[in-house]
Amino acid sequence: MYSRFWWLIVILLTGSVAMAQDNTNITGKWYGTFKLYYGDKYRMIIDLQKDGAGYKGTLQLPEMSDNDYFELETVVYRKDTLLLRIDALRFSFTGVWDPAVNQFRGITGFVDDQSHSDLGRKEITAAEMYKRPQEPRPPFPYYTEQVKFNNVKDSVTLAGTFTRPAAQGKYPVVLMLSGSGPQDRNEEIAGHKLFLVLADYFARNGIASLRYDDRGFAGSTGDFDTSDIYDFSHDALTALKYLKTRKDVDPARIGLLGHSEGAVVAQITAANNPAVAFVISMAGVGVSGRELIDQQSAAKGKMAGKSDSLILADQLRMKPYWDLLASDSDIAAITPKAQEILRNIYRNSSEDVKKGQTEDELVRASVMRPETISLLRYKPLTYLKQIKCPFMAINGTADIQVDATANLKEIERALNENGNLLTTIRKFDGLNHLFQRCKTCEVNEYGELEQTIDPLVPAFMAHWILQLPPSEDR
């Protein structure tokens, strides 16, 4: 992406230098936003000053670093085209002046992502970046408590929020487990605070909840980068033990709600565990991690307009690489071979592919954390067949990360074949991986949608929880 971007810049800047002229005063502050993978928005503040015949300036990224200023290594302004660059951050911006709106309209590159961006004179506040009408605002008609509990086994302290209805009593409680990557207790993605919205809905409808920051992130201690899904299950077990100590929790009605990777952690935690009264799997998997890779590549290929034969060819080309990583071999031992497979794939790729990324960039980007490797090697059947409590599995039909039909079918089959008939399987038409009603349904649309979750989903889950019979009656 980075190389292609600069190739386009060369085209933009070609022409008669003698005709180049400044058509606007660009000194002073400029404000804009750019997006990353999931549609997360980040503000950028550019401050430009004259420097002889040219310009110099600084970049500020408020969401990434409150007070740090980064010196712009390159500032070029020619023929209404503005070019900014900081190689150390892998940051770049190119834009063309649009007098109709008094802004530079262009593209921002950051690390491996690119997005359309405008630079204007109007300051942008954090509150203006997103519209999130479902996000609850105080005062809240329920009880909320900030809590901490210790995973003694791994020497980790987890910080979270316990929420319940205002009246004293013993409530059913949902322990929320977040998706992949370091997540805060709200599972905030692209400005959407899914777990906060769910906690609010549950508390208003007679259900308590506990959500917590992932280890090594926000208020929790530990090291996320060296942890895998089984370590995250240890954290969940610690949270379960903590909930059993609370007088406002019904110990016979403590359940797990896992989203995406969190649904995998819920499967592991609930296996042969009588302390778990129920499980809700949101966008969870029923196929192996290796098979999920092929499902995801097929979904992305179809969205890109590829034929079935081209999709299959892509999968076959990558098969040796993924098969090797998904094996039981020591990851350190097989990494050199895996990287060599990638290099051969790159060398035999089309020139269009090579324009977007260098060979070394591809290899560097392939480095995986223990979390990712453990997901790739995960086999749901091992754990699903050990779960005997009521189990709800819900997926969206427009989810391109976890195919609803294939995964729900395997979840139901694994549970039922091993004697668990207390299953509820539901596909929600037109919802994506975050259970938003989507338009393009691509991953980078998450942040563009105002809806955090389709209201039908929390209503469906709350009704199911409240109608479950007490564990002693099952």
Side-chain angles (χ1 to χ4, degrees), residues 17-27 48-55 75-82 97 104:
V17 176
M19 294 179 62
Q21 59 180 353
D22 286 358
N23 290 325
T24 187
N25 177 17
I26 68 168
T27 59
L48 300 175
Q49 303 298 327
K50 286 292 290 182
D51 183 30
Y55 296 90
V75 181
V76 177
Y77 180 52
R78 296 177 187 164
K79 297 179 65 176
D80 293 342
T81 299
L82 177 65
W97 180 251
F104 285 100

Side-chain angles (χ1 to χ4, degrees), residues 428-462:
F428 284 89
D429 288 337
L431 303 191
N432 62 18
H433 192 64
L434 300 189
F435 292 85
Q436 301 165 302
R437 193 155 297 282
C438 53
K439 298 173 184 176
T440 69
C441 301
E442 296 183 22
V443 170
N444 60 11
E445 186 192 36
Y446 295 165
E448 295 300 315
L449 299 172
E450 292 186 12
Q451 185 182 73
T452 295
I453 185 170
D454 189 288
L456 290 175
V457 178
F460 185 76
M461 293 190 293

Side-chain angles (χ1 to χ4, degrees), residues 72-116:
L72 293 167
E73 297 172 9
T74 301
V75 181
V76 177
Y77 180 52
R78 296 177 187 164
K79 297 179 65 176
D80 293 342
T81 299
L82 177 65
L83 167 63
L84 310 172
R85 177 174 171 178
I86 303 177
D87 287 345
L89 294 181
R90 297 177 68 187
F91 168 87
S92 56
F93 172 82
T94 183
V96 177
W97 180 251
D98 185 345
V101 293
N102 290 327
Q103 290 181 333
F104 285 100
R105 294 192 178 279
I107 296 174
T108 295
F110 189 79
V111 190
D112 292 323
D113 288 301
Q114 288 185 0
S115 68
H116 292 285

Side-chain angles (χ1 to χ4, degrees), residues 6 21 53 61 75 95 139-140 147 182 198 239 273 297 325 355 389 426:
W6 289 106
Q21 59 180 353
L61 301 170
V75 181
F140 303 121
V147 301
L198 289 179
N273 189 345
S297 68
L325 290 182
K355 286 178 183 177
C389 65
R426 170 74 182 268

